[in-house]
Amino acid sequence: MIAPQTSRDAEAKKKIGFDALYALDNESDEAEDDGLLASLQKVQGKTLGDPTISLSRSRRTPGRPPGSLVRSKSNIIPALSLSTQQHQKPRNTKSPLELLNELSAAAAATSTSNSIVKDTPTLQHHNTVTGVPSLEKPADDGKMPPSSALPASSAIPMIKNKKGKGKQVVDIKLVPEDQRIFQGLHFYFFPNSDTHPGRRQRIIKAIEYGASWQDKFNDTVTHIIVDRDYDFEQLLKYLKLKELPAGIVVVNENYTATCMDFYKLVDTSTIEFRVKGYEPPASSATIAQPNPSQASEVSLQLKPVKRKAVVLSSQVTSEASLNLVSSSAASLSNSPAPGVLDPQQVPNKDEDELDTAIRQAKESHPLASDDEDDVEGHKRRKTNNWQDKFQCMHKHTGKSGDQGPNAHTLVVLQELADHYDQIRDQWRCKSYRQAISALRKQTTKISTKEAAMRVYGIGSSIAEKIEEIVRTTHLRKLDFAKLDERQQILNRFMKIYGVGLHAAENFASAGYKTIDDLLQKAELTDNQRIGIDHYDDFNSRVPRAEVEKHAGIVKKALKGLDKNYIVNTMGSYRRGAQDSGDIDLLITKPGASIDEIRTTVMDRLVPLLTKHKFLVAALAQTSQADGTKWHGASCLPDSSTWRRIDLLLVPEEELGAALLYFTGNDIFNRSMRLLASKKGMRLNQRGLYKDVLRDYGREKLSEGTLVEGKDERKIFEALGVPWRPPEHRIC
DNA sequence: GCCG
DNA sequence: CAGTACG
DNA sequence: CGGCCGTTACTG
């Protein structure tokens, strides 16, 4: 252990002996991090992440006749066919057969190109639709709910006709065919106009993901997306219905975004999507088995739609053979409005009809054996998922909240979370962070307790506080907490490395109030003394560029010892942060045992860097034979600021799990691990294990067998979690 | 604190 | 062992 | 009412 005092004095000296090493750094091998991690992700998945965004805004066929994507009364023409129409040659009228041929050709082309060049989506893979008239004028204008039916007059203006404002051209860029999770679904929004920017965006996105937007409530509607400000009663009143026809999914505005987040249709019955005053049919959540007793008049009514649904969906979802496609021409010509109901979205009572339709489709086209796959395809999309509740199942950038509608509320809640963190009330802290994460994803401002309560992760207590924050822009509880002297002291002490709640309380109880008191009177461990000596250093952020310098030095030194070593910069840096709390480095060497790596790092690298005065303190270093980490402090040659630096030693076989662990963030990790445990597995920094034997509930266990440790992506797969690049793991 |  | 720390 | 990540790893 290095006495901090001496290191400060020795700054000038160290610089000299250190220059040679540091000089090498500037040419550095930046590419290495990129090469091993980032580039891998880029190739393997990042570019697939959201083609819609990466697509250029190329506009096409300006002269295209308006109305191609119009929500005409019978406009159930799937978005795909419409875009295809445009894609081929603008025309207004086509025979169903013509249309169908183009459609299938396009579908085939799309899927082919996607499968061949997955990594480089180009325009030709996507159908671009411009100038969608339907988005300019809400058809329902004059007919929106009378103001008496609405909570406040302020809710109405969004129904305004925007025609006077001039045309707004909208690019609708259909996502690749295999990603159109809403394909064949018919959405009706409530309110059903695009005058509200947020809703407009949701509508556009829904269409891009394959949905059709119904301008009127009709019997093809599969989903009603209700804005947060409205409840079920208002919906019924507006529709002039006593109750909705069976089989229609009623969800709030969060639904579409979450589905797109998942790249699949998620469970519609979770409270997260619940519309106030609406009790979803219990069956819709867990369709699983058909319920013969429920087959009824309703399904008869919907039957024709569903039959077509099956045929069409087999075509669009599974690159069905042409003969199957052409077979659907009949049904298409009968009605240009084929509806597709995802089995998941259909209550049990419809399952029989669905099965019947599938069987009929099979019978009439025995060669088209894709039907099985088709059904499977749907089943794959269905999620019904309890898993949806896990943070790791969603994309989090952590950035949407800063400018979002709830920005201020989030700031105050974060202060509360920090407060409980300081108090070491881990559970409350966790709850607040959970609530913050949920609120950050909301697309509208939450200003009432009721609205807040509807957000999964926010309960009555936090909901009340949210309302208070919005009303008063303050939180009395927080003001009080801030003024509490003992809390201030504890907070101050606990920011010392090596001082937790326990030590802080002891110090405070002993009457110490300042850091200086501790230095002079308290009994401190070596680490705590270092923590105090560099209190400000350790509590300040490290700019991204400096992280790279520290990493570069370690990398250089290690390469000098053995060029086969690989150093990856982890933590918030890997998540793309502009600054970090410390420097996290993962060290591995392909083919090497952990023992070899440990020996090299502990016996050679650390001493070397210590000698060069780059490493200036050791706070926690492996002493056991199976140790894997080194925690300490580092200091650049031309600086006097100490930084916390962590080295994690990893054998190649555990690289994936280590990447996962060391990338975080902590909430994401905990979420992944909790999910693993609920699935009878366990996840730690070494790997994902299955067949874990647990004693009571969770608790004790037997090792289990290793499922995956080497490949980060495979761990996601094994857990059934959609791949999240590091920058999407900021929960 | 929130959730089941 | 409790305490602290790591993501 | 009990669970809330890791049989995490390291210090003293």
Side-chain angles (χ1 to χ4, degrees):
Chain A
M1 202 150 309
I2 298 173
Q5 294 86 350
T6 61
S7 75
R8 271 177 180 167
D9 300 337
E11 199 178 303
K13 282 185 215 163
K14 101 179 171 183
K15 192 174 188 330
I16 300 169
F18 184 63
D19 275 346
L21 187 58
Y22 184 57
L24 293 172
D25 177 52
N26 286 337
E27 68 190 26
S28 132
D29 26 24
E30 295 297 276
E32 196 157 346
D33 273 330
D34 292 341
L36 287 173
L37 295 168
S39 69
L40 190 69
Q41 289 145 19
K42 275 175 198 157
V43 171
Q44 292 188 349
K46 197 173 174 182
T47 47
L48 284 173
D50 190 351
T52 334
I53 290 168
S54 62
L55 264 188
S56 67
R57 38 182 60 267
S58 58
R59 314 200 157 187
R60 311 176 75 212
T61 60
R64 182 167 151 277
S68 299
L69 216 135
V70 179
R71 307 173 301 160
S72 62
K73 282 172 199 138
S74 59
N75 152 40
I76 335 259
I77 303 176
L80 177 60
S81 65
L82 287 160
S83 60
T84 304
Q85 188 176 350
Q86 176 268 335
H87 183 70
Q88 305 274 329
K89 185 198 290 183
R91 254 207 289 171
N92 264 340
T93 54
K94 285 178 190 292
S95 75
L97 189 59
E98 245 181 322
L99 207 151
L100 199 67
N101 287 337
E102 290 178 6
L103 193 152
S104 55
T110 308
S111 40
T112 305
S113 55
N114 274 343
S115 60
I116 293 176
V117 226
K118 274 193 174 166
D119 298 331
T120 53
T122 58
L123 184 61
Q124 64 176 358
H125 300 154
H126 307 275
N127 300 298
T128 305
V129 181
T130 55
V132 183
S134 62
L135 287 178
E136 291 167 14
K137 182 195 173 303
D140 276 21
D141 273 8
K143 303 180 278 182
M144 279 312 292
S147 52
S148 62
L150 298 171
S153 59
S154 64
I156 316 280
M158 53 175 80
I159 319 295
K160 263 186 311 199
N161 190 334
K162 278 198 298 193
K163 238 180 178 173
K165 290 168 82 180
K167 289 196 175 180
Q168 298 193 1
V169 179
V170 178
D171 270 353
I172 292 208
K173 296 175 281 287
L174 286 170
V175 298
E177 184 263 342
D178 60 349
Q179 291 179 25
R180 280 175 219 152
I181 52 177
F182 299 142
Q183 188 71 52
L185 301 182
H186 306 298
F187 287 2
Y188 179 84
F189 290 79
F190 183 73
N192 202 30
S193 77
D194 66 318
T195 47
H196 183 278
R199 193 183 327 114
R200 177 188 177 87
Q201 203 51 44
R202 286 193 290 279
I203 293 172
I204 292 172
K205 278 290 180 186
I207 293 173
E208 289 178 346
Y209 279 73
S212 82
W213 179 25
Q214 300 296 306
D215 72 330
K216 292 214 174 87
F217 184 72
N218 55 48
D219 61 2
T220 68
V221 168
T222 58
H223 290 65
I224 302 178
I225 319 292
V226 181
D227 268 23
R228 176 162 299 288
D229 296 328
Y230 299 86
D231 60 31
F232 189 61
E233 191 185 344
Q234 292 167 323
L235 173 67
L236 284 183
K237 192 163 181 178
Y238 173 64
L239 295 177
K240 298 190 172 75
L241 292 174
K242 282 273 200 293
E243 58 181 12
L244 287 179
I248 294 184
V249 175
V250 180
V251 287
N252 69 26
E253 64 192 34
N254 292 327
Y255 177 70
T256 53
T258 303
C259 287
M260 293 183 288
D261 198 20
F262 274 78
Y263 302 114
K264 64 184 175 184
L265 298 176
V266 299
D267 181 8
T268 56
S269 67
T270 61
I271 193 168
E272 196 177 353
F273 310 126
R274 187 87 32 110
V275 171
K276 189 179 175 186
Y278 176 67
E279 202 51 46
S283 53
S284 70
T286 43
I287 344 103
Q289 303 306 319
N291 187 343
S293 67
Q294 283 186 342
S296 67
E297 62 286 356
V298 180
S299 51
L300 281 177
Q301 169 195 338
L302 293 176
K303 184 172 179 177
V305 173
K306 290 206 182 70
R307 289 189 54 183
K308 279 167 231 136
V310 171
V311 178
L312 181 63
S313 65
S314 63
Q315 156 207 337
V316 292
T317 58
S318 64
E319 313 174 27
S321 57
L322 271 183
N323 50 348
L324 178 58
V325 170
S326 61
S327 75
S328 64
S331 49
L332 259 184
S333 58
N334 284 341
S335 154
V340 175
L341 291 183
D342 188 294
Q344 183 222 334
Q345 306 299 344
V346 181
N348 292 357
K349 63 188 84 169
D350 295 323
E351 283 289 318
D352 278 347
E353 293 306 318
L354 188 64
D355 291 343
T356 305
I358 293 169
R359 179 176 48 74
Q360 288 174 350
K362 269 185 183 172
E363 284 165 2
S364 47
H365 310 282
L367 294 181
S369 56
D370 279 352
D371 279 20
E372 214 60 72
D373 287 357
D374 176 44
V375 174
E376 283 306 309
H378 279 294
K379 284 187 177 164
R380 248 177 270 127
R381 296 197 326 199
K382 106 181 175 184
T383 71
N384 289 343
N385 257 339
W386 52 279
Q387 304 178 37
D388 295 1
K389 300 183 187 67
F390 290 80
Q391 295 265 21
C392 59
M393 298 299 277
H394 301 265
K395 177 166 96 179
H396 301 268
T397 62
K399 284 170 185 166
S400 52
D402 300 339
Q403 288 89 11
N406 298 296
H408 178 256
T409 308
L410 288 167
V411 168
V412 180
L413 287 181
Q414 185 60 55
E415 288 184 52
L416 257 180
D418 292 342
H419 167 70
Y420 284 118
D421 182 39
Q422 290 156 14
I423 299 306
R424 281 303 192 274
D425 187 336
Q426 56 170 327
W427 304 130
R428 277 189 182 77
C429 179
K430 184 176 188 291
S431 290
Y432 274 93
R433 294 181 70 176
Q434 216 167 285
I436 288 166
S437 183
L439 186 60
R440 188 160 41 213
K441 289 191 298 182
Q442 298 302 311
T443 52
T444 59
K445 175 149 184 162
I446 308 292
S447 38
T448 67
K449 180 182 177 183
E450 289 70 32
M453 289 276 278
R454 270 181 258 147
V455 179
Y456 183 82
I458 297 181
S460 64
S461 177
I462 293 183
E464 274 175 21
K465 291 183 175 65
I466 288 175
E467 185 169 314
E468 180 183 342
I469 291 167
V470 172
R471 278 205 329 266
T472 68
T473 69
H474 262 90
L475 203 54
R476 289 191 308 158
K477 180 181 171 64
L478 193 55
D479 294 337
F480 184 75
K482 278 178 177 170
L483 291 177
D484 187 73
E485 194 201 357
R486 181 182 171 84
Q487 241 161 71
Q488 296 265 302
I489 294 173
L490 290 179
N491 178 22
R492 188 180 306 138
F493 288 171
M494 282 192 297
K495 284 196 292 191
I496 300 169
Y497 181 93
V499 176
L501 178 62
H502 193 79
E505 279 175 337
N506 286 344
F507 291 147
S509 298
Y512 307 139
K513 295 186 187 308
T514 66
I515 301 290
D516 220 42
D517 288 343
L518 298 185
L519 260 183
Q520 296 179 0
K521 308 173 198 167
E523 273 188 44
L524 300 170
T525 67
D526 293 342
N527 284 355
Q528 287 169 344
R529 194 166 294 278
I530 295 173
I532 290 179
D533 286 340
H534 295 273
Y535 186 82
D536 292 332
D537 289 352
F538 289 170
N539 285 303
S540 62
R541 305 290 294 176
V542 190
R544 188 174 180 85
E546 190 182 331
V547 174
E548 287 166 0
K549 286 185 184 176
H550 286 257
I553 290 171
V554 173
K555 201 176 297 182
K556 213 64 186 176
L558 190 54
K559 290 265 182 185
L561 295 173
D562 183 338
K563 65 184 175 69
N564 292 321
Y565 273 95
I566 296 171
V567 178
N568 290 312
T569 310
M570 306 296 291
S572 54
Y573 178 90
R574 190 179 179 222
R575 299 196 301 266
Q578 285 311 114
D579 52 67
S580 303
D582 62 6
I583 299 138
D584 303 308
L585 302 177
L586 185 157
I587 296 174
T588 190
K589 175 185 169 184
S593 69
I594 183 64
D595 290 308
E596 179 190 337
I597 296 172
R598 179 171 42 242
T599 302
T600 303
V601 171
M602 297 301 171
D603 296 351
R604 300 178 65 197
L605 178 69
V606 170
L608 174 67
L609 289 174
T610 302
K611 189 176 111 191
H612 283 292
K613 303 282 190 277
F614 171 68
L615 295 182
V616 288
L619 296 165
Q621 54 192 322
T622 274
S623 54
Q624 298 178 358
D626 63 338
T628 55
K629 74 180 188 187
W630 188 92
H631 288 180
S634 59
C635 183
L636 292 176
D638 51 356
S639 167
S640 60
T641 304
W642 286 23
R643 301 300 194 186
R644 282 278 297 102
I645 184 168
D646 298 341
L647 309 181
L648 187 67
L649 317 184
V650 177
E652 198 184 10
E653 308 78 55
E654 300 173 358
L655 181 59
L659 284 170
L660 188 56
Y661 158 68
F662 225 25
T663 299
N665 63 7
D666 57 343
I667 298 200
F668 182 85
N669 285 351
R670 292 165 71 156
S671 171
M672 289 279 280
R673 291 171 181 209
L674 180 62
L675 176 62
S677 84
K678 300 288 187 195
K679 289 193 165 191
M681 299 187 273
R682 90 189 141 94
L683 175 65
N684 59 26
Q685 48 267 63
R686 316 174 77 102
L688 176 67
Y689 302 80
K690 68 171 180 180
D691 297 331
V692 179
L693 296 179
R694 293 199 154 89
D695 233 14
Y696 170 68
R698 311 174 63 251
E699 217 49 63
K700 294 186 178 177
L701 52 155
S702 79
E703 273 282 301
T705 59
L706 178 65
V707 174
E708 180 63 43
K710 189 172 182 176
D711 189 327
E712 187 182 24
R713 196 174 291 266
K714 284 181 182 169
I715 294 176
F716 277 81
E717 288 172 10
L719 272 175
V721 177
W723 167 255
R724 308 277 168 220
E727 60 271 26
H728 288 169
R729 303 180 197 169
I730 309 168
C731 299

